Amino acid sequence: MACRVGLEFLDILEGLLPSIQEVGGYFHVLLNELERKHAFVKEVRGFGLMLGMELTVPGKQIVLDAIGEGLLLNCTHDTVLRFLPPYIATEKDVDQAVKILGKVLGKVK
């Protein structure tokens, strides 16, 4: 039964891959725009919808502020913001997330 569920998921995932790549690319471009606006953003990296933003400052407070605004993300290695949106995320969802993230990054001193 578990193997069958796994196979069904792979079939569904195959159909989602074009959207994942398209929305992920869009998300990457918008994160790069934030990188250019904020000197403390060191690098944006990742593929598809699994993206990270490396900072030169600790990310803990940024994560807490983002969660307070309704954006769920986490921080790894103290300075890397990690984004893992669901595979069904749309460009509209990305716009909303980047708007919140931009607001939160604007508060960093």
PDB file of all heavy atoms in Angstrom, residues 31-67:
ATOM      1  N   LEU A  31      13.633  37.303  -5.323  1.00  0.00           N
ATOM      2  CA  LEU A  31      14.593  37.292  -4.216  1.00  0.00           C
ATOM      3  C   LEU A  31      15.891  37.980  -4.619  1.00  0.00           C
ATOM      4  O   LEU A  31      16.511  38.676  -3.803  1.00  0.00           O
ATOM      5  CB  LEU A  31      14.869  35.857  -3.754  1.00  0.00           C
ATOM      6  CG  LEU A  31      13.718  35.145  -3.043  1.00  0.00           C
ATOM      7  CD1 LEU A  31      14.107  33.699  -2.721  1.00  0.00           C
ATOM      8  CD2 LEU A  31      13.281  35.879  -1.790  1.00  0.00           C
ATOM      9  N   ASN A  32      16.301  37.814  -5.870  1.00  0.00           N
ATOM     10  CA  ASN A  32      17.500  38.520  -6.350  1.00  0.00           C
ATOM     11  C   ASN A  32      17.292  40.031  -6.332  1.00  0.00           C
ATOM     12  O   ASN A  32      18.233  40.787  -6.068  1.00  0.00           O
ATOM     13  CB  ASN A  32      17.880  38.047  -7.749  1.00  0.00           C
ATOM     14  CG  ASN A  32      18.593  36.727  -7.739  1.00  0.00           C
ATOM     15  OD1 ASN A  32      19.325  36.407  -6.812  1.00  0.00           O
ATOM     16  ND2 ASN A  32      18.382  35.936  -8.770  1.00  0.00           N
ATOM     17  N   GLU A  33      16.077  40.484  -6.609  1.00  0.00           N
ATOM     18  CA  GLU A  33      15.789  41.918  -6.531  1.00  0.00           C
ATOM     19  C   GLU A  33      15.934  42.416  -5.097  1.00  0.00           C
ATOM     20  O   GLU A  33      16.475  43.504  -4.861  1.00  0.00           O
ATOM     21  CB  GLU A  33      14.382  42.212  -7.061  1.00  0.00           C
ATOM     22  CG  GLU A  33      14.265  42.058  -8.561  1.00  0.00           C
ATOM     23  CD  GLU A  33      12.846  42.267  -9.075  1.00  0.00           C
ATOM     24  OE1 GLU A  33      11.966  42.738  -8.311  1.00  0.00           O
ATOM     25  OE2 GLU A  33      12.605  41.954 -10.254  1.00  0.00           O
ATOM     26  N   LEU A  34      15.470  41.610  -4.130  1.00  0.00           N
ATOM     27  CA  LEU A  34      15.647  41.978  -2.725  1.00  0.00           C
ATOM     28  C   LEU A  34      17.125  41.992  -2.356  1.00  0.00           C
ATOM     29  O   LEU A  34      17.564  42.842  -1.573  1.00  0.00           O
ATOM     30  CB  LEU A  34      14.885  41.016  -1.810  1.00  0.00           C
ATOM     31  CG  LEU A  34      13.369  41.148  -1.796  1.00  0.00           C
ATOM     32  CD1 LEU A  34      12.749  40.067  -0.914  1.00  0.00           C
ATOM     33  CD2 LEU A  34      12.938  42.532  -1.332  1.00  0.00           C
ATOM     34  N   GLU A  35      17.886  41.067  -2.925  1.00  0.00           N
ATOM     35  CA  GLU A  35      19.332  41.020  -2.669  1.00  0.00           C
ATOM     36  C   GLU A  35      19.992  42.330  -3.092  1.00  0.00           C
ATOM     37  O   GLU A  35      20.846  42.869  -2.389  1.00  0.00           O
ATOM     38  CB  GLU A  35      19.959  39.842  -3.412  1.00  0.00           C
ATOM     39  CG  GLU A  35      21.462  39.752  -3.266  1.00  0.00           C
ATOM     40  CD  GLU A  35      22.083  38.651  -4.107  1.00  0.00           C
ATOM     41  OE1 GLU A  35      21.391  38.046  -4.949  1.00  0.00           O
ATOM     42  OE2 GLU A  35      23.286  38.403  -3.919  1.00  0.00           O
ATOM     43  N   ARG A  36      19.593  42.851  -4.238  1.00  0.00           N
ATOM     44  CA  ARG A  36      20.181  44.094  -4.725  1.00  0.00           C
ATOM     45  C   ARG A  36      19.800  45.300  -3.849  1.00  0.00           C
ATOM     46  O   ARG A  36      20.541  46.267  -3.764  1.00  0.00           O
ATOM     47  CB  ARG A  36      19.768  44.350  -6.173  1.00  0.00           C
ATOM     48  CG  ARG A  36      20.492  43.445  -7.161  1.00  0.00           C
ATOM     49  CD  ARG A  36      20.249  43.837  -8.603  1.00  0.00           C
ATOM     50  NE  ARG A  36      18.885  43.592  -9.055  1.00  0.00           N
ATOM     51  CZ  ARG A  36      18.424  42.416  -9.465  1.00  0.00           C
ATOM     52  NH1 ARG A  36      19.208  41.364  -9.478  1.00  0.00           N
ATOM     53  NH2 ARG A  36      17.172  42.282  -9.868  1.00  0.00           N
ATOM     54  N   LYS A  37      18.649  45.233  -3.181  1.00  0.00           N
ATOM     55  CA  LYS A  37      18.184  46.345  -2.345  1.00  0.00           C
ATOM     56  C   LYS A  37      18.781  46.345  -0.944  1.00  0.00           C
ATOM     57  O   LYS A  37      18.756  47.368  -0.273  1.00  0.00           O
ATOM     58  CB  LYS A  37      16.659  46.299  -2.221  1.00  0.00           C
ATOM     59  CG  LYS A  37      15.921  46.611  -3.495  1.00  0.00           C
ATOM     60  CD  LYS A  37      14.426  46.528  -3.282  1.00  0.00           C
ATOM     61  CE  LYS A  37      13.680  46.745  -4.580  1.00  0.00           C
ATOM     62  NZ  LYS A  37      12.229  46.586  -4.417  1.00  0.00           N
ATOM     63  N   HIS A  38      19.247  45.194  -0.486  1.00  0.00           N
ATOM     64  CA  HIS A  38      19.701  45.071   0.894  1.00  0.00           C
ATOM     65  C   HIS A  38      21.138  44.557   0.926  1.00  0.00           C
ATOM     66  O   HIS A  38      21.401  43.413   0.561  1.00  0.00           O
ATOM     67  CB  HIS A  38      18.779  44.137   1.682  1.00  0.00           C
ATOM     68  CG  HIS A  38      17.353  44.596   1.695  1.00  0.00           C
ATOM     69  ND1 HIS A  38      16.917  45.624   2.505  1.00  0.00           N
ATOM     70  CD2 HIS A  38      16.273  44.192   0.981  1.00  0.00           C
ATOM     71  CE1 HIS A  38      15.627  45.821   2.297  1.00  0.00           C
ATOM     72  NE2 HIS A  38      15.216  44.967   1.370  1.00  0.00           N
ATOM     73  N   ALA A  39      22.044  45.392   1.410  1.00  0.00           N
ATOM     74  CA  ALA A  39      23.470  45.066   1.411  1.00  0.00           C
ATOM     75  C   ALA A  39      23.804  43.860   2.281  1.00  0.00           C
ATOM     76  O   ALA A  39      24.814  43.194   2.048  1.00  0.00           O
ATOM     77  CB  ALA A  39      24.287  46.271   1.871  1.00  0.00           C
ATOM     78  N   PHE A  40      22.988  43.554   3.263  1.00  0.00           N
ATOM     79  CA  PHE A  40      23.262  42.433   4.158  1.00  0.00           C
ATOM     80  C   PHE A  40      22.836  41.084   3.568  1.00  0.00           C
ATOM     81  O   PHE A  40      23.068  40.049   4.189  1.00  0.00           O
ATOM     82  CB  PHE A  40      22.600  42.642   5.530  1.00  0.00           C
ATOM     83  CG  PHE A  40      21.110  42.829   5.462  1.00  0.00           C
ATOM     84  CD1 PHE A  40      20.257  41.744   5.471  1.00  0.00           C
ATOM     85  CD2 PHE A  40      20.576  44.104   5.376  1.00  0.00           C
ATOM     86  CE1 PHE A  40      18.884  41.918   5.394  1.00  0.00           C
ATOM     87  CE2 PHE A  40      19.208  44.299   5.301  1.00  0.00           C
ATOM     88  CZ  PHE A  40      18.364  43.196   5.312  1.00  0.00           C
ATOM     89  N   VAL A  41      22.229  41.100   2.381  1.00  0.00           N
ATOM     90  CA  VAL A  41      21.909  39.842   1.699  1.00  0.00           C
ATOM     91  C   VAL A  41      23.126  39.472   0.862  1.00  0.00           C
ATOM     92  O   VAL A  41      23.506  40.179  -0.069  1.00  0.00           O
ATOM     93  CB  VAL A  41      20.654  39.963   0.819  1.00  0.00           C
ATOM     94  CG1 VAL A  41      20.398  38.647   0.082  1.00  0.00           C
ATOM     95  CG2 VAL A  41      19.438  40.354   1.656  1.00  0.00           C
ATOM     96  N   LYS A  42      23.733  38.365   1.222  1.00  0.00           N
ATOM     97  CA  LYS A  42      24.983  37.927   0.596  1.00  0.00           C
ATOM     98  C   LYS A  42      24.737  37.171  -0.709  1.00  0.00           C
ATOM     99  O   LYS A  42      25.436  37.388  -1.703  1.00  0.00           O
ATOM    100  CB  LYS A  42      25.737  37.044   1.586  1.00  0.00           C
ATOM    101  CG  LYS A  42      27.096  36.605   1.151  1.00  0.00           C
ATOM    102  CD  LYS A  42      27.762  35.842   2.281  1.00  0.00           C
ATOM    103  CE  LYS A  42      29.119  35.324   1.870  1.00  0.00           C
ATOM    104  NZ  LYS A  42      29.752  34.578   2.968  1.00  0.00           N
ATOM    105  N   GLU A  43      23.738  36.273  -0.700  1.00  0.00           N
ATOM    106  CA  GLU A  43      23.522  35.416  -1.875  1.00  0.00           C
ATOM    107  C   GLU A  43      22.127  34.807  -1.829  1.00  0.00           C
ATOM    108  O   GLU A  43      21.597  34.518  -0.767  1.00  0.00           O
ATOM    109  CB  GLU A  43      24.562  34.288  -1.853  1.00  0.00           C
ATOM    110  CG  GLU A  43      24.417  33.277  -2.949  1.00  0.00           C
ATOM    111  CD  GLU A  43      25.375  32.104  -2.804  1.00  0.00           C
ATOM    112  OE1 GLU A  43      25.834  31.798  -1.682  1.00  0.00           O
ATOM    113  OE2 GLU A  43      25.644  31.469  -3.840  1.00  0.00           O
ATOM    114  N   VAL A  44      21.559  34.609  -3.004  1.00  0.00           N
ATOM    115  CA  VAL A  44      20.318  33.843  -3.166  1.00  0.00           C
ATOM    116  C   VAL A  44      20.683  32.611  -3.965  1.00  0.00           C
ATOM    117  O   VAL A  44      21.356  32.701  -4.992  1.00  0.00           O
ATOM    118  CB  VAL A  44      19.230  34.661  -3.898  1.00  0.00           C
ATOM    119  CG1 VAL A  44      18.019  33.806  -4.183  1.00  0.00           C
ATOM    120  CG2 VAL A  44      18.847  35.892  -3.086  1.00  0.00           C
ATOM    121  N   ARG A  45      20.250  31.450  -3.480  1.00  0.00           N
ATOM    122  CA  ARG A  45      20.595  30.209  -4.184  1.00  0.00           C
ATOM    123  C   ARG A  45      19.465  29.204  -4.055  1.00  0.00           C
ATOM    124  O   ARG A  45      18.586  29.336  -3.214  1.00  0.00           O
ATOM    125  CB  ARG A  45      21.892  29.637  -3.636  1.00  0.00           C
ATOM    126  CG  ARG A  45      21.859  29.294  -2.168  1.00  0.00           C
ATOM    127  CD  ARG A  45      23.211  28.726  -1.723  1.00  0.00           C
ATOM    128  NE  ARG A  45      23.227  28.465  -0.314  1.00  0.00           N
ATOM    129  CZ  ARG A  45      23.831  29.213   0.594  1.00  0.00           C
ATOM    130  NH1 ARG A  45      24.491  30.289   0.223  1.00  0.00           N
ATOM    131  NH2 ARG A  45      23.792  28.890   1.872  1.00  0.00           N
ATOM    132  N   GLY A  46      19.526  28.208  -4.899  1.00  0.00           N
ATOM    133  CA  GLY A  46      18.537  27.138  -4.846  1.00  0.00           C
ATOM    134  C   GLY A  46      18.036  26.795  -6.228  1.00  0.00           C
ATOM    135  O   GLY A  46      18.480  27.347  -7.245  1.00  0.00           O
ATOM    136  N   PHE A  47      17.067  25.881  -6.249  1.00  0.00           N
ATOM    137  CA  PHE A  47      16.499  25.406  -7.509  1.00  0.00           C
ATOM    138  C   PHE A  47      15.037  25.081  -7.273  1.00  0.00           C
ATOM    139  O   PHE A  47      14.666  24.556  -6.213  1.00  0.00           O
ATOM    140  CB  PHE A  47      17.259  24.163  -7.976  1.00  0.00           C
ATOM    141  CG  PHE A  47      16.800  23.653  -9.309  1.00  0.00           C
ATOM    142  CD1 PHE A  47      17.158  24.312 -10.471  1.00  0.00           C
ATOM    143  CD2 PHE A  47      15.998  22.537  -9.399  1.00  0.00           C
ATOM    144  CE1 PHE A  47      16.728  23.853 -11.707  1.00  0.00           C
ATOM    145  CE2 PHE A  47      15.562  22.072 -10.621  1.00  0.00           C
ATOM    146  CZ  PHE A  47      15.931  22.738 -11.783  1.00  0.00           C
ATOM    147  N   GLY A  48      14.210  25.381  -8.264  1.00  0.00           N
ATOM    148  CA  GLY A  48      12.783  25.122  -8.114  1.00  0.00           C
ATOM    149  C   GLY A  48      12.238  25.968  -6.984  1.00  0.00           C
ATOM    150  O   GLY A  48      12.534  27.153  -6.885  1.00  0.00           O
ATOM    151  N   LEU A  49      11.458  25.352  -6.121  1.00  0.00           N
ATOM    152  CA  LEU A  49      10.883  26.080  -5.001  1.00  0.00           C
ATOM    153  C   LEU A  49      11.685  25.944  -3.711  1.00  0.00           C
ATOM    154  O   LEU A  49      11.300  26.481  -2.686  1.00  0.00           O
ATOM    155  CB  LEU A  49       9.443  25.612  -4.761  1.00  0.00           C
ATOM    156  CG  LEU A  49       8.435  26.114  -5.798  1.00  0.00           C
ATOM    157  CD1 LEU A  49       7.105  25.396  -5.641  1.00  0.00           C
ATOM    158  CD2 LEU A  49       8.239  27.614  -5.688  1.00  0.00           C
ATOM    159  N   MET A  50      12.818  25.248  -3.760  1.00  0.00           N
ATOM    160  CA  MET A  50      13.678  25.147  -2.584  1.00  0.00           C
ATOM    161  C   MET A  50      14.770  26.199  -2.728  1.00  0.00           C
ATOM    162  O   MET A  50      15.741  26.011  -3.452  1.00  0.00           O
ATOM    163  CB  MET A  50      14.298  23.758  -2.458  1.00  0.00           C
ATOM    164  CG  MET A  50      15.133  23.609  -1.202  1.00  0.00           C
ATOM    165  SD  MET A  50      16.010  22.051  -1.100  1.00  0.00           S
ATOM    166  CE  MET A  50      14.706  20.966  -0.613  1.00  0.00           C
ATOM    167  N   LEU A  51      14.573  27.330  -2.029  1.00  0.00           N
ATOM    168  CA  LEU A  51      15.470  28.460  -2.187  1.00  0.00           C
ATOM    169  C   LEU A  51      16.003  28.919  -0.841  1.00  0.00           C
ATOM    170  O   LEU A  51      15.365  28.734   0.198  1.00  0.00           O
ATOM    171  CB  LEU A  51      14.733  29.623  -2.865  1.00  0.00           C
ATOM    172  CG  LEU A  51      14.221  29.339  -4.277  1.00  0.00           C
ATOM    173  CD1 LEU A  51      13.297  30.448  -4.743  1.00  0.00           C
ATOM    174  CD2 LEU A  51      15.371  29.167  -5.234  1.00  0.00           C
ATOM    175  N   GLY A  52      17.175  29.523  -0.872  1.00  0.00           N
ATOM    176  CA  GLY A  52      17.787  30.057   0.331  1.00  0.00           C
ATOM    177  C   GLY A  52      18.340  31.440   0.070  1.00  0.00           C
ATOM    178  O   GLY A  52      18.712  31.783  -1.047  1.00  0.00           O
ATOM    179  N   MET A  53      18.376  32.227   1.133  1.00  0.00           N
ATOM    180  CA  MET A  53      18.932  33.582   1.068  1.00  0.00           C
ATOM    181  C   MET A  53      19.960  33.697   2.187  1.00  0.00           C
ATOM    182  O   MET A  53      19.607  33.691   3.363  1.00  0.00           O
ATOM    183  CB  MET A  53      17.818  34.617   1.238  1.00  0.00           C
ATOM    184  CG  MET A  53      18.291  36.050   1.235  1.00  0.00           C
ATOM    185  SD  MET A  53      16.927  37.228   1.509  1.00  0.00           S
ATOM    186  CE  MET A  53      16.337  37.420  -0.178  1.00  0.00           C
ATOM    187  N   GLU A  54      21.230  33.774   1.809  1.00  0.00           N
ATOM    188  CA  GLU A  54      22.279  33.891   2.809  1.00  0.00           C
ATOM    189  C   GLU A  54      22.473  35.356   3.186  1.00  0.00           C
ATOM    190  O   GLU A  54      22.544  36.226   2.322  1.00  0.00           O
ATOM    191  CB  GLU A  54      23.596  33.312   2.308  1.00  0.00           C
ATOM    192  CG  GLU A  54      24.652  33.267   3.378  1.00  0.00           C
ATOM    193  CD  GLU A  54      25.888  32.498   2.990  1.00  0.00           C
ATOM    194  OE1 GLU A  54      25.935  31.904   1.898  1.00  0.00           O
ATOM    195  OE2 GLU A  54      26.830  32.507   3.800  1.00  0.00           O
ATOM    196  N   LEU A  55      22.564  35.589   4.481  1.00  0.00           N
ATOM    197  CA  LEU A  55      22.688  36.939   5.019  1.00  0.00           C
ATOM    198  C   LEU A  55      24.044  37.125   5.690  1.00  0.00           C
ATOM    199  O   LEU A  55      24.703  36.146   6.040  1.00  0.00           O
ATOM    200  CB  LEU A  55      21.585  37.182   6.062  1.00  0.00           C
ATOM    201  CG  LEU A  55      20.157  36.832   5.665  1.00  0.00           C
ATOM    202  CD1 LEU A  55      19.232  36.956   6.864  1.00  0.00           C
ATOM    203  CD2 LEU A  55      19.685  37.706   4.519  1.00  0.00           C
ATOM    204  N   THR A  56      24.414  38.364   5.898  1.00  0.00           N
ATOM    205  CA  THR A  56      25.618  38.656   6.684  1.00  0.00           C
ATOM    206  C   THR A  56      25.246  39.000   8.120  1.00  0.00           C
ATOM    207  O   THR A  56      26.111  39.356   8.916  1.00  0.00           O
ATOM    208  CB  THR A  56      26.417  39.821   6.057  1.00  0.00           C
ATOM    209  OG1 THR A  56      25.581  40.977   6.006  1.00  0.00           O
ATOM    210  CG2 THR A  56      26.916  39.458   4.674  1.00  0.00           C
ATOM    211  N   VAL A  57      23.971  38.922   8.438  1.00  0.00           N
ATOM    212  CA  VAL A  57      23.453  39.172   9.786  1.00  0.00           C
ATOM    213  C   VAL A  57      22.671  37.949  10.237  1.00  0.00           C
ATOM    214  O   VAL A  57      22.222  37.158   9.398  1.00  0.00           O
ATOM    215  CB  VAL A  57      22.550  40.432   9.815  1.00  0.00           C
ATOM    216  CG1 VAL A  57      23.329  41.675   9.421  1.00  0.00           C
ATOM    217  CG2 VAL A  57      21.335  40.261   8.930  1.00  0.00           C
ATOM    218  N   PRO A  58      22.464  37.774  11.546  1.00  0.00           N
ATOM    219  CA  PRO A  58      21.643  36.652  12.012  1.00  0.00           C
ATOM    220  C   PRO A  58      20.213  36.755  11.486  1.00  0.00           C
ATOM    221  O   PRO A  58      19.654  37.842  11.374  1.00  0.00           O
ATOM    222  CB  PRO A  58      21.680  36.793  13.535  1.00  0.00           C
ATOM    223  CG  PRO A  58      22.897  37.594  13.829  1.00  0.00           C
ATOM    224  CD  PRO A  58      23.065  38.525  12.653  1.00  0.00           C
ATOM    225  N   GLY A  59      19.631  35.603  11.170  1.00  0.00           N
ATOM    226  CA  GLY A  59      18.301  35.592  10.576  1.00  0.00           C
ATOM    227  C   GLY A  59      17.166  35.303  11.537  1.00  0.00           C
ATOM    228  O   GLY A  59      16.003  35.351  11.140  1.00  0.00           O
ATOM    229  N   LYS A  60      17.470  35.013  12.803  1.00  0.00           N
ATOM    230  CA  LYS A  60      16.427  34.608  13.744  1.00  0.00           C
ATOM    231  C   LYS A  60      15.317  35.645  13.868  1.00  0.00           C
ATOM    232  O   LYS A  60      14.132  35.312  13.790  1.00  0.00           O
ATOM    233  CB  LYS A  60      17.026  34.312  15.117  1.00  0.00           C
ATOM    234  CG  LYS A  60      15.998  33.841  16.115  1.00  0.00           C
ATOM    235  CD  LYS A  60      16.609  33.513  17.460  1.00  0.00           C
ATOM    236  CE  LYS A  60      15.529  33.061  18.424  1.00  0.00           C
ATOM    237  NZ  LYS A  60      16.089  32.727  19.733  1.00  0.00           N
ATOM    238  N   GLN A  61      15.672  36.906  14.060  1.00  0.00           N
ATOM    239  CA  GLN A  61      14.651  37.939  14.230  1.00  0.00           C
ATOM    240  C   GLN A  61      13.867  38.157  12.935  1.00  0.00           C
ATOM    241  O   GLN A  61      12.670  38.438  12.973  1.00  0.00           O
ATOM    242  CB  GLN A  61      15.264  39.257  14.711  1.00  0.00           C
ATOM    243  CG  GLN A  61      14.227  40.275  15.135  1.00  0.00           C
ATOM    244  CD  GLN A  61      13.332  39.784  16.258  1.00  0.00           C
ATOM    245  OE1 GLN A  61      13.807  39.287  17.268  1.00  0.00           O
ATOM    246  NE2 GLN A  61      12.026  39.906  16.082  1.00  0.00           N
ATOM    247  N   ILE A  62      14.519  38.013  11.806  1.00  0.00           N
ATOM    248  CA  ILE A  62      13.825  38.140  10.523  1.00  0.00           C
ATOM    249  C   ILE A  62      12.752  37.064  10.417  1.00  0.00           C
ATOM    250  O   ILE A  62      11.617  37.333  10.010  1.00  0.00           O
ATOM    251  CB  ILE A  62      14.824  38.052   9.346  1.00  0.00           C
ATOM    252  CG1 ILE A  62      15.755  39.254   9.380  1.00  0.00           C
ATOM    253  CG2 ILE A  62      14.097  37.939   8.013  1.00  0.00           C
ATOM    254  CD1 ILE A  62      16.928  39.171   8.429  1.00  0.00           C
ATOM    255  N   VAL A  63      13.090  35.839  10.810  1.00  0.00           N
ATOM    256  CA  VAL A  63      12.124  34.733  10.779  1.00  0.00           C
ATOM    257  C   VAL A  63      10.954  35.043  11.705  1.00  0.00           C
ATOM    258  O   VAL A  63       9.786  34.874  11.324  1.00  0.00           O
ATOM    259  CB  VAL A  63      12.795  33.397  11.162  1.00  0.00           C
ATOM    260  CG1 VAL A  63      11.761  32.311  11.394  1.00  0.00           C
ATOM    261  CG2 VAL A  63      13.788  32.976  10.091  1.00  0.00           C
ATOM    262  N   LEU A  64      11.244  35.495  12.916  1.00  0.00           N
ATOM    263  CA  LEU A  64      10.175  35.803  13.877  1.00  0.00           C
ATOM    264  C   LEU A  64       9.274  36.925  13.362  1.00  0.00           C
ATOM    265  O   LEU A  64       8.042  36.846  13.481  1.00  0.00           O
ATOM    266  CB  LEU A  64      10.776  36.168  15.227  1.00  0.00           C
ATOM    267  CG  LEU A  64      11.520  35.040  15.954  1.00  0.00           C
ATOM    268  CD1 LEU A  64      12.200  35.577  17.218  1.00  0.00           C
ATOM    269  CD2 LEU A  64      10.587  33.892  16.278  1.00  0.00           C
ATOM    270  N   ASP A  65       9.877  37.957  12.784  1.00  0.00           N
ATOM    271  CA  ASP A  65       9.086  39.058  12.226  1.00  0.00           C
ATOM    272  C   ASP A  65       8.237  38.590  11.045  1.00  0.00           C
ATOM    273  O   ASP A  65       7.079  38.993  10.905  1.00  0.00           O
ATOM    274  CB  ASP A  65       9.994  40.207  11.797  1.00  0.00           C
ATOM    275  CG  ASP A  65      10.642  40.929  12.967  1.00  0.00           C
ATOM    276  OD1 ASP A  65      10.218  40.724  14.125  1.00  0.00           O
ATOM    277  OD2 ASP A  65      11.608  41.694  12.722  1.00  0.00           O
ATOM    278  N   ALA A  66       8.819  37.749  10.190  1.00  0.00           N
ATOM    279  CA  ALA A  66       8.078  37.230   9.030  1.00  0.00           C
ATOM    280  C   ALA A  66       6.892  36.378   9.491  1.00  0.00           C
ATOM    281  O   ALA A  66       5.784  36.506   8.946  1.00  0.00           O
ATOM    282  CB  ALA A  66       9.003  36.421   8.131  1.00  0.00           C
ATOM    283  N   ILE A  67       7.117  35.533  10.480  1.00  0.00           N
ATOM    284  CA  ILE A  67       6.024  34.706  10.995  1.00  0.00           C
ATOM    285  C   ILE A  67       4.928  35.603  11.568  1.00  0.00           C
ATOM    286  O   ILE A  67       3.743  35.349  11.360  1.00  0.00           O
ATOM    287  CB  ILE A  67       6.554  33.698  12.036  1.00  0.00           C
ATOM    288  CG1 ILE A  67       7.399  32.633  11.329  1.00  0.00           C
ATOM    289  CG2 ILE A  67       5.405  33.051  12.809  1.00  0.00           C
ATOM    290  CD1 ILE A  67       8.149  31.692  12.266  1.00  0.00           C
TER     291      ILE A  67
END
